[in-house]
Amino acid sequence: MFERTLESLIKGLRSHRGADEVAFVATIQDEIRHEVRSGDVQVKAEAVLKLTYLQMLGYPPASYASFPILEVMAASQYHIKQVGYLAAAQTFNQDTDVLILATNLVKKDLHSSNPLEVAVAVNGLSRIVTPDLAQHLAPDIIGMMNHSKPSIRKRTILVFHSLIAHYPPALDQGWHRLQEKLDDADPSVVSATVNVVCELGRRYPKKFLALSPQLFGLLTNSTNNWMLIKLVKLFGYLSPHEPRLVRKLLPPIKSIISTTPALSLLYECINSVISGEMLALDDGSGSSDELAESCVDKLAAFLEDEEDRNLKYVALLSLVRILPTHPHLVGRYHEAILGSMEDEDLSIRMRALDLAAGMASRETLRGIVERLMAHLEEPDTKKQKRGTAAEGGAAAALRKALSSGPSVNGPQATTPSSLVSTSYRQEIARRILLMGSSNTYAHIDDFEWYVGDVLLPLLRTQEGVADLVRGQLIDVTLRVRAVRPFAVEAMEKLLGDASWSIGGQGIEQLHALAAAAWICGEYHEHVLNPRIAVDLLLPTGLLPGGAGDGNDDDQSDIRVSTMSVCIHGAVKLFAHWAASLSTGAGSNGSDWDDTRLEEVSNVAALLSERLNLFVDQPHCEVAERAREYAHLFEFVLKDLEGAQRAAAASKPVGEERAKKQAAQSSATPLAPPPTDESTASWGESTALNLTASSSSTSLSSQPRGPKSLHLLSPLFTPAPMGPVAAQAQKKVPPPPHLDLRTSLGGEWSVVMPEPPAKKDKEKATGAEPSSSKLAAPSGSKKTKKSKRDEIDRNISEGKSKASSSSPKLVDDDLEDVPIVRLSLSDLPGLAESSSAGGARNGEAESKSDGSKKRKGTRDREKDLLQEVEEMPPGVAGPDQKDGAASRRKEKASSAKSPPSAATLQQPANGSASKAVGVGTPADVDRGAETPSPTPTMVKKKDGGKAKKKSKRAAAGVMID
C-alpha cells in the first residue's frame, strides 16, 4: 500500500512552504522511488500520479519512472491507463529511450473496442509522437478517419496533423481521406478538417489549391464564424499562388465584411484581403477599390473605439499595410491617426507614427511635421488640461495619486511630450527627417521653413540624430540655390550663439560645427562677417582633452571628421575674404588701405596660431591639413609683414594733416559755384576728379594688396559643386586610353642602359659599336645598342613586350660581353662547337677582373676543360659511339689553337645565330646538330648527358 495519496501530498506541500519544502519533496521522491517498484499496479499508478504532479510544479522528471509509466499505460483498467498516458504526455520527450517499446502498445489501444481507450490513446499519441512512431502508426491513424464515432474521427484528424509534422510523407498517404472529410456529415469533423487544412495550407499552399472548390463551397454556405475565420485565412494563403482565385473570392468576402457583426471575423477578412494581395487586383471593374474603401471605413471605426485598445492597434497595423496601395483612402482619416499619437500606449503611438510618415505629401507635410514637433517639446513648454470625464477610471486614479499637489481644476493631464521616452523622441525625429528627404525633398515647398524651423531645432534639442541633420543641412544647401543665403546666415547665428556653446565637446555640437564649416566655406560669398566666422570655425574647444571630452570611439571619429572640415572651411573662407579685400570687392565695397592690411594680418596670425594647435594631432588627415596650411600661412604672414613695413616707410609726413583737412572740408557745407575768375580752374579740377574716379572704378578689380593674399584662393576655386545621384557614376565612361582590363603581370625584359658618358662619346665620334662585342645568342639581327634603343622606345610607347629572344640581364660590369644564363638540363644531346661565332676582345677580361660572377664562371670553364682533357678515350655518349677518338682529337686541337680571324668575323647577313655555337631555338627543340664549322661534343663521365661548353673568349656564354 502506498504511504500517502495525492491529496495528502498536496496538503503536505502547503504545510511545508519555505525552507522545509525542499526536504519534504526529497522525502516524497524517496517514497515514490520505492512505490514504482511495487508489483501492485494500483500503487504504481498512484506513485506515477504523484510524480506527475511534482513535475507540473517545476521539479525535474525522474528518469527511473519511464518504464513504470509504460507499465501503467498497458494496464487493462481505463482509469489506470489514463494516468499512464497523462504521465507519458507530461514527462516523455523525443529523447526518451523507452518510447520505442510503446509502438505496439499504442497500436493495440487504437484498435480497441472501447471508444474511451481509443480516445485516450489518440490524445496521448499527439503528445508523445516521434518520427518512428509516426511512420509506424500513420496507416492506423488514416484508417481510423472512417471510424463510426464522430468524436473518434475528429480526434484522429487532429492527431493526423501531428503525424505529418514529424513524418511529411503521411500527407500523401492520407490525402484522399482528408479530402473526403471536408464533406463529412458531422459539422465537428468538417471544422476539424478545415483547421488541419488551414495549418497545412500555410506550409504547402500550392498542394492545397486542388481543394479550392470544396473550400469555396464551405465559405459561401457555412454559418460557423470560427470555421469562416479559418477558411478566410486559408484563402489568404492560397490566393497569391492563383490570381484567378481573387476574382472568385471578392464577392463573398465583401459580403461578409459588410454584414457580419463579429469583429474577429471582420478583422480576419480584412487581414486576409491584404495578405492575399486582393486589393492590388486591376480587372477594370473597380471591385478591388470598393473592397479597399470598405476595409478602410471599417478600420476607421476601430480607431474610434476608446474602450478596446486591441482593436485600435490592429486597425493601425492594417492601415499601415493598406497605405502603399491606397494612400488617398487612408489620408481621409489623418486626424484620427494623428490623434492616436497622443495615446498612452507606446505600441499604438508607434503604429500611428508609421502611418503619419507614410501619409506625408506636399500638401500635408507641414501640418504633420508641426504636429510631430509638438511631441518633441519639453514638458514645461506646453500645458493641456483635461477634465475628469476625459480620463479613464484606473488611469485617472493613478494620475491623481501621483500628482504633486491638489488642483482646483481637477487632475492635470500630462502633455504629449511627457508621454514620450528618449528612444521614441529619436524615432520621431528620424521619421521627420525621413519625410522631409523623401523622394529628394519633393514634398517640401518652403526650404527656409525646413532649414530654420525643422533642421536647426532638431540639431539643438534632439540627441542621436545630429549626423542625419548635418547631412541634410549640407544636402539641402547644395541642392537648393535659393536657400543658400538663408542657410549661411543661420549657420553664422549658430556659430555665434553663446548659449548653446557650439565649440563644446558634445556630439551634437561637433556635427553642428562641421555643417557650419562646410556651408560657410563653400558659400563664402554669402557670409556677412567673415573675420568673426573664421575665428569661430576653429575654436580651441574642438581639440580633444577638453572639459567633457569622452573616450567614446564614435565621438572620437566624429571629432576627427569635424576638425578636418573646420580646418578646410576656415582656410577657404579666409582665402576668399582676403582676396576680395585685396581687389576691393568686399561686402562693404571699401578700398584697400592700411587698416585693411592690419585687419587681414591679425586674422592671418590668429588662423596660423590655431592651425599650429592641430599640427600635432595623432590623426594623419587632421595633422596633414593643418601642417600644409600652416606652412602656407607662414609665407603669407612674412609677406604681410613686409607690406606693413613698406607702407610705413612710404607714408608721407603730412598724411595725418591731409586727412584732418579732408575731414574738415567734408564736414563743411558745399561752397557755391565759383566766380568767373576761377571758372577755368574749377572745371579743370572737376575733370581731373572725374577722370580719377573713373580710372579707379575700372581698376577696382585689380589686386591692390600683397600678392600673397591671392595665393590661397586659387586652391579653392574648382567647378561649381552640384548634387550627384547614386547611380550617376556608372553613366560616366572611362577615358578612351585607359584600359582597366590589362594585366599588370607577365614577363618583363630588364635591360640596363649604357653609361651616359659612353653613349655621348660614341655619339660624338659617330663610331659604330666595336665588332668584337658579341650579340646575345637569341637569334636577333640587331646589335646590342639598336636592341636597347628599340626596347626603350617600346617602353616609352606603352608597347613593351617580353620576348623570349630578349636578353634577361646585362650587368654594368659586363659592358663588352652580354651574358645569357642557360640551363643545360633542358638541352639533352646538344652538340657544341668549339669554334663558336664571334670573338672576345682582350680588353673585356681586364675590365671585368673584379667581377665575382665572371671569376666564378671562368673557374667553372677551366674545370670543365680540365675534365674534358682527362676524359678517357673510350668514353662517349649514346649518339657518339662511332668515331669518338677522332672527335676527341679534333676537340683537343681546336682547344689548343687560337680562333682564326674568319671565325671572329660576324656575318652581316643575319647568320649570327648560327655562328655562336648554341643553335637557334628551333634547332634546339629538334635536337639538331649546331651548324658550326668544327663541331665537338662534350660528355660528362657520370651520366653521358651532353652539356654545352664553350670558351669565354670565343662565345661569352655563361654556363650554369
Side-chain angles (χ1 to χ4, degrees), residues 776-780 803-806 822 826-827 830 913-914 918-928 930-931 948:
S778 59
S780 174
S803 175
S804 61
S805 62
S806 299
L822 299 176
D826 298 332
L827 306 174
L830 180 64
S913 62
K914 297 182 179 180
V918 295
T920 60
D923 295 331
V924 172
D925 294 339
R926 292 191 300 270
T930 305
K948 188 174 182 184

Side-chain angles (χ1 to χ4, degrees), residues 792-839:
D792 292 340
R793 183 170 61 256
N794 290 340
I795 293 176
S796 63
E797 295 176 357
K799 302 178 180 179
S800 60
K801 302 178 180 178
S803 175
S804 61
S805 62
S806 299
K808 293 298 181 182
L809 179 65
V810 177
D811 201 340
D812 290 338
D813 296 334
L814 307 177
E815 299 173 356
D816 298 326
V817 181
I819 297 175
V820 178
R821 296 184 182 274
L822 299 176
S823 179
L824 297 181
S825 60
D826 298 332
L827 306 174
L830 180 64
E832 184 184 63
S833 174
S834 62
S835 58

Side-chain angles (χ1 to χ4, degrees), residues 70 96-104 132-133:
L70 283 181
T96 304
D97 51 358
V98 299
L99 272 177
I100 193 173
L101 303 176
T103 305
N104 292 330
D132 292 336
L133 284 176

Side-chain angles (χ1 to χ4, degrees), residues 506-517:
I507 294 180
E508 289 75 19
Q509 286 86 347
L510 292 175
H511 282 297
L513 185 57

Side-chain angles (χ1 to χ4, degrees), residues 240-445:
H241 301 277
E242 181 52 68
R244 295 176 297 177
L245 193 59
V246 176
R247 298 185 181 89
K248 193 73 174 178
L249 291 173
L250 284 180
I253 290 181
K254 189 186 300 183
S255 175
I256 294 175
I257 292 176
S258 303
T259 58
T260 181
L263 297 180
S264 57
L265 177 59
L266 176 60
Y267 172 73
E268 288 298 338
C269 288
I270 296 175
N271 186 42
S272 299
V273 163
I274 299 171
S275 61
E277 302 177 1
M278 301 181 187
L279 298 180
L281 178 64
D282 188 11
D283 56 352
S285 62
S287 56
S288 59
D289 294 336
E290 296 178 1
L291 181 60
E293 185 175 2
S294 178
C295 292
V296 172
D297 293 340
K298 295 294 183 179
L299 294 174
F302 289 176
L303 291 178
E304 300 175 357
D305 191 350
E306 296 293 340
E307 297 179 358
D308 194 346
R309 295 184 182 276
N310 293 330
L311 287 178
K312 197 171 186 178
Y313 176 79
V314 297
L316 292 171
L317 195 63
S318 300
L319 287 174
V320 170
R321 300 168 63 188
I322 296 177
L323 184 63
T325 57
H326 297 81
H328 59 286
L329 297 177
V330 180
R332 298 177 183 177
Y333 304 97
H334 69 278
E335 288 295 335
I337 294 171
L338 294 178
S340 301
M341 297 183 62
E342 301 180 4
D343 197 280
E344 296 180 0
D345 192 344
L346 179 60
S347 59
I348 293 178
R349 294 203 305 267
M350 290 297 297
R351 300 290 78 77
L353 184 59
D354 294 339
L355 274 175
M359 290 189 305
S361 62
R362 196 174 184 86
E363 293 78 17
T364 61
L365 175 67
R366 190 159 188 166
I368 294 175
V369 170
E370 290 176 352
R371 191 80 171 262
L372 294 177
M373 292 290 289
H375 288 75
L376 301 179
E377 297 177 358
E378 294 298 329
D380 330 353
T381 59
K382 186 178 180 181
K383 298 293 183 180
Q384 291 183 353
K385 297 181 180 180
R386 299 177 182 173
T388 311
E391 299 286 344
L398 179 61
R399 188 172 291 109
K400 183 177 181 180
L402 297 177
S403 60
S404 57
S407 175
V408 296
N409 295 327
Q412 289 186 351
T414 55
T415 60
S417 56
S418 64
L419 301 174
V420 179
S421 61
T422 303
S423 59
Y424 184 63
R425 287 172 181 269
Q426 295 179 3
E427 187 64 26
I428 290 177
R430 290 192 185 95
R431 296 303 176 89
I432 292 174
L433 297 174
L434 181 62
M435 286 188 292
S437 61
S438 176
N439 198 14
T440 319
Y441 308 97
H443 298 156
I444 301 176
D445 55 356

Side-chain angles (χ1 to χ4, degrees), residues 871-887:
M871 184 179 298
V875 177
D879 55 347
Q880 294 177 330
K881 294 182 179 179
D882 298 333
S886 61
R887 284 194 293 271

